Amino acid sequence: MARILCIDYGGKRTGIAVTDPFKIIATGLTTVDSHELISFLKKYFSQEEVELIVIGEPKNLDDSDTHATPLVKEAIKKLQKEFPQIPIKTVDERFTSKMAKQAMIDMGMKKKDRRNKRTVDEIAATMMLQEYIQFPLTP
């Protein structure tokens, strides 16, 4: 059974999460340097079947683009070129980093560990993916 993969794309780092094969639970996979994303995904896709890529789209409260939106749109173009057989859907990523930081506090993580931005990115991707599988977008 194929998985769904979620990307929290950033200029420096990219958080990645995946579902279990039954698409019930989202789990953080890793955080990679953004310039290594395509090579990481090529290797991952050779080992695991992925039926959909979900990627966070940064928006302001008024739905206008943020400074990061063009980076994500460029990343989507690269993903479509490299993996044309896998559909890509965007999801609203507003507040995911803040929610990830709060989740880290709620889990009792030490302040030192909460400063690790790689962990924040991975948790943000996991939260986006869990929300997507609970409330899927209509095509």
Side-chain angles (χ1 to χ4, degrees):
M1 298 184 85
R3 300 172 186 268
I4 299 172
L5 182 133
C6 183
I7 297 172
D8 180 25
Y9 189 84
K12 294 181 183 179
R13 293 171 312 278
T14 298
I16 303 171
V18 294
T19 63
D20 64 296
F22 297 104
K23 297 172 209 66
I24 297 170
I25 298 170
T27 305
L29 181 62
T30 191
T31 301
V32 298
D33 292 336
S34 293
H35 68 275
E36 296 174 355
L37 177 63
I38 298 297
S39 60
F40 173 85
L41 291 177
K42 284 180 181 180
K43 183 177 179 184
Y44 185 79
F45 293 161
S46 73
Q47 299 166 358
E48 296 288 343
E49 186 180 351
V50 173
E51 69 179 37
L52 174 67
I53 297 171
V54 175
I55 187 166
E57 184 176 27
K59 293 286 185 179
N60 289 311
L61 289 176
D62 65 358
D63 280 334
S64 63
D65 290 350
T66 71
H67 69 284
T69 306
L71 291 173
V72 172
K73 288 182 179 181
E74 188 61 35
I76 290 170
K77 287 180 187 176
K78 287 179 186 174
L79 291 166
Q80 289 171 329
K81 181 181 177 189
E82 292 290 334
F83 311 108
Q85 73 284 7
I86 303 175
I88 299 171
K89 288 190 179 182
T90 58
V91 294
D92 188 345
E93 73 166 32
R94 281 180 275 206
F95 308 116
T96 55
S97 292
K98 288 182 182 180
M99 292 180 344
K101 289 176 186 174
Q102 185 60 50
M104 293 166 76
I105 291 169
D106 295 345
M107 289 186 289
M109 289 181 81
K110 294 180 178 165
K111 191 172 188 176
K112 176 184 159 198
D113 296 330
R114 293 193 312 257
R115 288 189 189 128
N116 184 343
K117 293 181 181 181
R118 297 180 83 81
T119 304
V120 173
D121 293 338
E122 185 177 327
I123 291 172
T126 305
M127 295 176 94
M128 278 190 284
L129 184 54
Q130 189 64 45
E131 183 173 329
Y132 177 81
I133 59 178
Q134 285 180 312
F135 308 104
L137 302 171
T138 54

Short mmCIF file of all heavy atoms in Angstrom, two decimals, residues 28-59:
data_model
loop_
_atom_site.label_atom_id
_atom_site.label_comp_id
_atom_site.label_asym_id
_atom_site.label_seq_id
_atom_site.Cartn_x
_atom_site.Cartn_y
_atom_site.Cartn_z
N GLY A 28 6.80 11.73 11.68
CA GLY A 28 7.94 12.47 11.17
C GLY A 28 8.99 11.52 10.62
O GLY A 28 9.31 10.51 11.24
N LEU A 29 9.50 11.83 9.45
CA LEU A 29 10.51 10.98 8.82
C LEU A 29 11.91 11.55 9.08
O LEU A 29 12.77 10.87 9.62
CB LEU A 29 10.24 10.87 7.32
CG LEU A 29 11.17 10.00 6.51
CD1 LEU A 29 11.12 8.55 6.98
CD2 LEU A 29 10.81 10.07 5.03
N THR A 30 12.11 12.81 8.70
CA THR A 30 13.43 13.43 8.86
C THR A 30 13.35 14.89 8.48
O THR A 30 12.31 15.38 8.05
CB THR A 30 14.49 12.71 7.99
OG1 THR A 30 15.79 13.17 8.34
CG2 THR A 30 14.25 12.95 6.51
N THR A 31 14.46 15.57 8.61
CA THR A 31 14.65 16.90 8.07
C THR A 31 15.93 16.85 7.25
O THR A 31 16.93 16.32 7.70
CB THR A 31 14.79 17.96 9.20
OG1 THR A 31 13.62 17.93 9.99
CG2 THR A 31 14.97 19.34 8.63
N VAL A 32 15.85 17.38 6.03
CA VAL A 32 17.02 17.40 5.16
C VAL A 32 17.32 18.84 4.77
O VAL A 32 16.44 19.70 4.81
CB VAL A 32 16.81 16.55 3.88
CG1 VAL A 32 16.59 15.09 4.23
CG2 VAL A 32 15.67 17.08 3.03
N ASP A 33 18.56 19.09 4.39
CA ASP A 33 18.89 20.39 3.83
C ASP A 33 18.11 20.51 2.52
O ASP A 33 18.05 19.55 1.74
CB ASP A 33 20.39 20.51 3.58
CG ASP A 33 21.18 20.56 4.89
OD1 ASP A 33 20.61 20.94 5.93
OD2 ASP A 33 22.38 20.20 4.85
N SER A 34 17.52 21.66 2.28
CA SER A 34 16.62 21.81 1.13
C SER A 34 17.30 21.50 -0.20
O SER A 34 16.66 20.95 -1.10
CB SER A 34 16.02 23.21 1.12
OG SER A 34 15.16 23.36 2.23
N HIS A 35 18.58 21.82 -0.33
CA HIS A 35 19.26 21.53 -1.60
C HIS A 35 19.46 20.02 -1.81
O HIS A 35 19.81 19.60 -2.90
CB HIS A 35 20.58 22.29 -1.71
CG HIS A 35 21.63 21.82 -0.74
ND1 HIS A 35 21.71 22.29 0.55
CD2 HIS A 35 22.64 20.93 -0.90
CE1 HIS A 35 22.72 21.70 1.16
NE2 HIS A 35 23.30 20.88 0.30
N GLU A 36 19.23 19.21 -0.78
CA GLU A 36 19.37 17.75 -0.89
C GLU A 36 18.02 17.05 -1.00
O GLU A 36 17.96 15.82 -1.03
CB GLU A 36 20.11 17.21 0.34
CG GLU A 36 21.53 17.72 0.45
CD GLU A 36 22.21 17.29 1.76
OE1 GLU A 36 21.55 16.67 2.61
OE2 GLU A 36 23.39 17.59 1.91
N LEU A 37 16.93 17.81 -1.08
CA LEU A 37 15.59 17.21 -1.06
C LEU A 37 15.36 16.23 -2.20
O LEU A 37 14.92 15.10 -1.98
CB LEU A 37 14.52 18.31 -1.09
CG LEU A 37 13.07 17.81 -1.16
CD1 LEU A 37 12.72 17.00 0.08
CD2 LEU A 37 12.11 18.98 -1.33
N ILE A 38 15.66 16.62 -3.42
CA ILE A 38 15.39 15.76 -4.58
C ILE A 38 16.17 14.45 -4.48
O ILE A 38 15.61 13.37 -4.69
CB ILE A 38 15.70 16.49 -5.91
CG1 ILE A 38 14.80 17.72 -6.08
CG2 ILE A 38 15.57 15.55 -7.10
CD1 ILE A 38 13.31 17.45 -6.18
N SER A 39 17.44 14.52 -4.13
CA SER A 39 18.23 13.28 -4.04
C SER A 39 17.71 12.40 -2.89
O SER A 39 17.65 11.17 -3.03
CB SER A 39 19.72 13.57 -3.87
OG SER A 39 19.96 14.32 -2.71
N PHE A 40 17.30 13.01 -1.78
CA PHE A 40 16.72 12.23 -0.69
C PHE A 40 15.44 11.54 -1.16
O PHE A 40 15.24 10.34 -0.90
CB PHE A 40 16.41 13.12 0.53
CG PHE A 40 15.67 12.38 1.60
CD1 PHE A 40 16.36 11.62 2.54
CD2 PHE A 40 14.29 12.40 1.66
CE1 PHE A 40 15.67 10.91 3.52
CE2 PHE A 40 13.59 11.69 2.62
CZ PHE A 40 14.28 10.94 3.56
N LEU A 41 14.57 12.27 -1.85
CA LEU A 41 13.30 11.69 -2.29
C LEU A 41 13.51 10.59 -3.33
O LEU A 41 12.79 9.58 -3.31
CB LEU A 41 12.38 12.78 -2.84
CG LEU A 41 11.84 13.77 -1.80
CD1 LEU A 41 11.00 14.84 -2.48
CD2 LEU A 41 11.05 13.07 -0.72
N LYS A 42 14.47 10.75 -4.22
CA LYS A 42 14.75 9.68 -5.20
C LYS A 42 15.09 8.38 -4.48
O LYS A 42 14.58 7.31 -4.84
CB LYS A 42 15.91 10.09 -6.12
CG LYS A 42 15.50 11.09 -7.17
CD LYS A 42 16.69 11.44 -8.05
CE LYS A 42 16.29 12.46 -9.11
NZ LYS A 42 17.41 12.83 -9.99
N LYS A 43 15.92 8.48 -3.47
CA LYS A 43 16.29 7.29 -2.71
C LYS A 43 15.09 6.73 -1.95
O LYS A 43 14.83 5.53 -1.97
CB LYS A 43 17.43 7.63 -1.74
CG LYS A 43 17.93 6.44 -0.96
CD LYS A 43 19.11 6.79 -0.08
CE LYS A 43 19.55 5.56 0.69
NZ LYS A 43 20.61 5.86 1.63
N TYR A 44 14.32 7.62 -1.31
CA TYR A 44 13.16 7.17 -0.54
C TYR A 44 12.12 6.51 -1.45
O TYR A 44 11.59 5.44 -1.13
CB TYR A 44 12.53 8.34 0.22
CG TYR A 44 11.41 7.91 1.12
CD1 TYR A 44 11.66 7.32 2.35
CD2 TYR A 44 10.08 8.05 0.73
CE1 TYR A 44 10.63 6.89 3.17
CE2 TYR A 44 9.04 7.62 1.54
CZ TYR A 44 9.32 7.04 2.76
OH TYR A 44 8.29 6.60 3.56
N PHE A 45 11.84 7.13 -2.60
CA PHE A 45 10.83 6.58 -3.52
C PHE A 45 11.27 5.25 -4.13
O PHE A 45 10.44 4.47 -4.56
CB PHE A 45 10.51 7.58 -4.63
CG PHE A 45 9.82 8.84 -4.15
CD1 PHE A 45 9.81 9.97 -4.94
CD2 PHE A 45 9.18 8.90 -2.92
CE1 PHE A 45 9.18 11.14 -4.52
CE2 PHE A 45 8.55 10.05 -2.48
CZ PHE A 45 8.54 11.17 -3.29
N SER A 46 12.57 4.99 -4.16
CA SER A 46 13.03 3.69 -4.66
C SER A 46 12.79 2.58 -3.65
O SER A 46 12.78 1.41 -4.00
CB SER A 46 14.52 3.76 -5.02
OG SER A 46 15.32 3.81 -3.86
N GLN A 47 12.57 2.98 -2.38
CA GLN A 47 12.35 2.00 -1.31
C GLN A 47 10.89 1.91 -0.86
O GLN A 47 10.46 0.88 -0.35
CB GLN A 47 13.21 2.34 -0.10
CG GLN A 47 14.69 2.33 -0.40
CD GLN A 47 15.51 2.98 0.70
OE1 GLN A 47 14.98 3.49 1.68
NE2 GLN A 47 16.82 2.97 0.53
N GLU A 48 10.15 3.00 -1.02
CA GLU A 48 8.77 3.07 -0.55
C GLU A 48 7.86 3.59 -1.66
O GLU A 48 8.25 4.46 -2.43
CB GLU A 48 8.64 4.02 0.65
CG GLU A 48 9.39 3.57 1.88
CD GLU A 48 8.77 2.39 2.60
OE1 GLU A 48 7.57 2.08 2.35
OE2 GLU A 48 9.47 1.76 3.40
N GLU A 49 6.65 3.07 -1.71
CA GLU A 49 5.67 3.54 -2.68
C GLU A 49 4.92 4.74 -2.09
O GLU A 49 4.37 4.67 -1.00
CB GLU A 49 4.68 2.43 -3.02
CG GLU A 49 3.73 2.79 -4.12
CD GLU A 49 2.75 1.67 -4.45
OE1 GLU A 49 2.92 0.54 -3.95
OE2 GLU A 49 1.80 1.95 -5.22
N VAL A 50 4.93 5.84 -2.82
CA VAL A 50 4.26 7.07 -2.39
C VAL A 50 3.25 7.45 -3.47
O VAL A 50 3.60 7.56 -4.64
CB VAL A 50 5.28 8.21 -2.15
CG1 VAL A 50 4.57 9.53 -1.86
CG2 VAL A 50 6.22 7.84 -1.00
N GLU A 51 2.00 7.64 -3.06
CA GLU A 51 0.95 7.95 -4.03
C GLU A 51 0.63 9.43 -4.13
O GLU A 51 -0.03 9.87 -5.07
CB GLU A 51 -0.33 7.19 -3.71
CG GLU A 51 -1.03 7.65 -2.46
CD GLU A 51 -2.32 6.87 -2.19
OE1 GLU A 51 -2.35 5.66 -2.45
OE2 GLU A 51 -3.27 7.49 -1.71
N LEU A 52 1.09 10.23 -3.15
CA LEU A 52 0.78 11.64 -3.14
C LEU A 52 1.82 12.40 -2.32
O LEU A 52 2.27 11.91 -1.28
CB LEU A 52 -0.61 11.85 -2.50
CG LEU A 52 -1.08 13.29 -2.27
CD1 LEU A 52 -1.31 14.01 -3.61
CD2 LEU A 52 -2.35 13.30 -1.43
N ILE A 53 2.17 13.58 -2.82
CA ILE A 53 3.02 14.50 -2.05
C ILE A 53 2.14 15.67 -1.64
O ILE A 53 1.47 16.28 -2.47
CB ILE A 53 4.21 15.01 -2.90
CG1 ILE A 53 5.13 13.85 -3.30
CG2 ILE A 53 4.98 16.08 -2.12
CD1 ILE A 53 6.21 14.24 -4.31
N VAL A 54 2.17 15.97 -0.35
CA VAL A 54 1.47 17.14 0.19
C VAL A 54 2.57 18.11 0.61
O VAL A 54 3.52 17.72 1.28
CB VAL A 54 0.60 16.74 1.40
CG1 VAL A 54 -0.03 17.96 2.03
CG2 VAL A 54 -0.47 15.74 0.98
N ILE A 55 2.43 19.37 0.21
CA ILE A 55 3.45 20.36 0.54
C ILE A 55 2.77 21.59 1.14
O ILE A 55 1.72 22.03 0.66
CB ILE A 55 4.33 20.71 -0.68
CG1 ILE A 55 5.50 21.62 -0.28
CG2 ILE A 55 3.51 21.30 -1.80
CD1 ILE A 55 6.58 21.73 -1.36
N GLY A 56 3.37 22.11 2.20
CA GLY A 56 2.82 23.28 2.86
C GLY A 56 3.02 24.54 2.03
O GLY A 56 4.10 24.79 1.51
N GLU A 57 1.94 25.31 1.89
CA GLU A 57 2.00 26.56 1.14
C GLU A 57 1.91 27.73 2.12
O GLU A 57 0.91 27.90 2.81
CB GLU A 57 0.84 26.63 0.14
CG GLU A 57 0.89 27.84 -0.73
CD GLU A 57 -0.22 27.84 -1.78
OE1 GLU A 57 -1.28 27.23 -1.56
OE2 GLU A 57 -0.01 28.47 -2.82
N PRO A 58 2.98 28.52 2.20
CA PRO A 58 2.97 29.64 3.14
C PRO A 58 2.08 30.78 2.66
O PRO A 58 2.19 31.23 1.52
CB PRO A 58 4.44 30.08 3.21
CG PRO A 58 5.14 29.42 2.09
CD PRO A 58 4.25 28.37 1.51
N LYS A 59 1.20 31.21 3.53
CA LYS A 59 0.30 32.33 3.24
C LYS A 59 0.20 33.23 4.46
O LYS A 59 0.33 32.77 5.60
CB LYS A 59 -1.12 31.82 2.90
CG LYS A 59 -1.22 31.05 1.61
CD LYS A 59 -1.14 31.97 0.43
CE LYS A 59 -1.37 31.23 -0.88
NZ LYS A 59 -1.31 32.12 -2.02
#
